[in-house]
Amino acid sequence: MSNYLDTMTEVKNYIYARTPLIIIQSSERERVERMLRAIAADAMTDIYYYTDSKQVIKLNSNAPALNVDSDPVSYMNDLFRKKQKSIFAYGDVKKISEDNLYSRDIINCLYLAKESNSTLILITDGKVIQRITQFGMISKLDYPDDDERCRHIRKFVQTYSGRFTVEWDDEDIVRASTLLRGFTEIQIENILSNEIISQGALYKKNIHSLAGQKSRLYSAVSSIQQVSIDSDLSVAGLENLKEWLMEKKKIFFASDSELTRYGLETPKGILMAGVPGCGKSYSAKMAAAMWELPLFRFDIGSVYDKWMGESERKMREALDFIDNVSPCVLWVDEIEKALAVSDGGNDTSQRILGQFLFWLQESKSRVFMTATANDISRLPSELFRKGRFSEVFFVDLPTSHERRIAIEQYTARCLHLRFSEEQLDYLVKLSDGFSFVEIEYAIKDSAQQMLIFGTRSVNMQTIADNFKKVVPIKVRSREKIEKIRKWGQECAIPAHKDEEG
């Protein structure tokens, strides 16, 4: 990514080289103007600058603005004819994405600039036709990088810390900078201002909410929905996965300079495979809660369309949206149903898979994907190439310790009961071979009885009877479960700790 200083050095070199045309690609006109002022002051030269609102001004001078009737082309022509080695920056350039009368007028100006060793600077975030670009060089000013965002946030904190409560320390500022990645300076200023006014302060506990504001800046995409996360989310088991997420969190939020120093990239995501009903889908919510990031669910299957080219367009639109709202956690549930492509698969499926795999491999956005799969055999082998997922975890049936925790949680939440150790031991024994979903079902069946017939209708025997009525998945789908568990032991890392661990 080109940061502000890199771009300024590049533009300055182009000016010194008397390049006839410099195109600065940016949507932040104010930031480009600040950069050109710095160049003009450093080089002790005049840069004439036009915008519709200010008309023509000299960036290295306090001289009054010149009114050119909202069309600087004639002024540029006169300047390049009369003054050698002049520099003119056009800040509101339009209509140069196609061949028309206006773009031809710009081309005529460029011929004059070349003859007089002058430079025309065009500032735009749109396309420019090749007949124009061939006259010079293109320099892209990306959104503020980590260092710029940190400086901007520190300046904001210093400005308002005397009037408002500011709990953020330097580590919090770095965290906020990561969450505000992909915002312009104006957007960062607006978000921080809204936060400090609405809350009356900058609290540590609210830092994670900054990233959630990003989705409001982009049009909704039908295949992607934001998922709310309970503030008291508690997940039984998956201890190995929890430890892995805690370790990788620091890398995910590391600055670009730190990652470059160690030759690292942020974690891409995880593939959760294993027994149905054992917590794979909860892993996405858990990751988002632990990392305090917004969670988006991507329904890949909904991008398929019967019209030629529409599926690919919808996929591009979805991936662009995900990149824009990063940093975030992306949840793709039962990924094998959307991406399974047989040898006789149609061309559209192949292209959708190719688009997704390319994005998964090459995207530099801070998106952590949590994908779940019940039938790993249906997934294309290309998905398992290193660099596409950071790790593959296997989710097995819960251990007796995990079943105990789940029973305690569900009975406290749904029945508002607390059992003795002996009673818990009995229920844990009854639930041998149960998935988490089956434990939840047995306890909620008791909760329904309690709601219908009153609290006295449910006792330990009632709950035990409901457990006994459940035919666990381990029994119902014995061969399938054995096959899944065999694959998990050989090809993935266990998400759980064993009984001794």
Side-chain angles (χ1 to χ4, degrees), residues 70-84:
S70 299
D71 186 4
V73 175
S74 297
Y75 185 89
M76 288 189 296
N77 284 331
D78 289 341
L79 179 67
F80 293 152
R81 285 194 191 99
K82 296 174 181 178
K83 187 176 180 181
Q84 291 280 319

Side-chain angles (χ1 to χ4, degrees), residues 241-259:
L241 174 61
K242 290 175 183 175
E243 290 179 6
W244 188 91
L245 287 171
M246 286 304 297
E247 290 177 0
K248 300 300 181 183
K249 179 179 179 180
K250 186 171 183 179
I251 300 175
F252 187 87
F253 287 102
S255 66
D256 289 339
S257 57
E258 287 179 299
L259 294 173

Side-chain angles (χ1 to χ4, degrees), residues 177-346:
S177 168
T178 301
L179 293 174
L180 294 174
R181 181 189 181 95
F183 283 117
T184 66
E185 282 188 351
I186 292 175
Q187 289 171 330
I188 292 172
E189 189 85 19
N190 290 340
I191 288 171
L192 295 177
S193 297
N194 179 67
E195 180 70 20
I196 206 167
I197 293 299
S198 63
Q199 301 296 324
L202 290 179
Y203 293 118
K204 286 177 177 286
K205 65 181 181 181
N206 291 338
I207 291 177
H208 68 277
S209 67
L210 299 178
Q213 299 190 44
K214 197 176 262 192
S215 61
R216 302 174 192 173
L217 301 174
Y218 305 100
S219 300
V221 176
S222 60
S223 58
I224 298 175
Q225 297 83 37
Q226 187 163 2
V227 180
S228 60
I229 305 169
D230 293 337
S231 57
D232 60 347
L233 177 70
S234 179
V235 179
L238 306 180
E239 296 303 324
N240 279 346
L241 174 61
K242 290 175 183 175
E243 290 179 6
W244 188 91
L245 287 171
M246 286 304 297
E247 290 177 0
K248 300 300 181 183
K249 179 179 179 180
K250 186 171 183 179
I251 300 175
F252 187 87
F253 287 102
S255 66
D256 289 339
S257 57
E258 287 179 299
L259 294 173
T260 301
R261 179 183 177 189
Y262 293 101
L264 297 174
E265 293 182 343
T266 54
K268 293 279 188 180
I270 52 177
L271 175 62
M272 303 292 294
V275 181
C278 291
K280 295 190 298 299
S281 296
Y282 263 105
S283 62
K285 295 181 179 180
M286 184 174 73
M290 290 176 69
W291 289 10
E292 297 180 311
L293 288 172
L295 174 64
F296 294 91
R297 184 178 183 274
F298 184 17
D299 180 8
I300 298 180
S302 67
V303 305
Y304 289 97
D305 194 286
K306 64 180 180 179
W307 302 110
M308 180 71 71
E310 276 297 291
S311 301
E312 293 86 338
R313 182 192 64 78
K314 288 182 178 180
M315 177 59 96
R316 283 195 304 272
E317 186 180 65
L319 297 178
D320 285 344
F321 178 86
I322 294 165
D323 283 335
N324 286 333
V325 298
S326 66
C328 64
V329 174
L330 183 68
W331 172 22
V332 182
D333 201 21
E334 297 187 357
I335 192 173
E336 74 273 22
K337 292 183 178 179
L339 294 183
V341 178
S342 64
D343 291 339
N346 60 51

Side-chain angles (χ1 to χ4, degrees), residues 440-473:
E440 179 185 12
Y441 171 81
I443 293 173
K444 286 189 174 180
D445 198 23
S446 301
Q448 289 183 51
Q449 292 176 255
M450 187 178 285
L451 177 63
I452 296 169
F453 302 109
T455 56
R456 293 185 179 180
S457 65
V458 173
N459 53 36
M460 180 61 192
Q461 187 58 52
T462 309
I463 298 169
D465 289 343
N466 285 331
F467 269 71
K468 291 175 183 177
K469 287 191 296 184
V470 175
V471 180
I473 191 171

Side-chain angles (χ1 to χ4, degrees), residues 43-61:
M44 293 184 293
T45 188
D46 289 330
I47 296 181
Y48 296 84
Y49 178 63
Y50 171 83
T51 61
D52 288 340
S53 57
K54 295 178 181 178
Q55 297 291 286
V56 175
I57 60 173
K58 288 184 181 180
L59 292 179
N60 195 29
S61 169

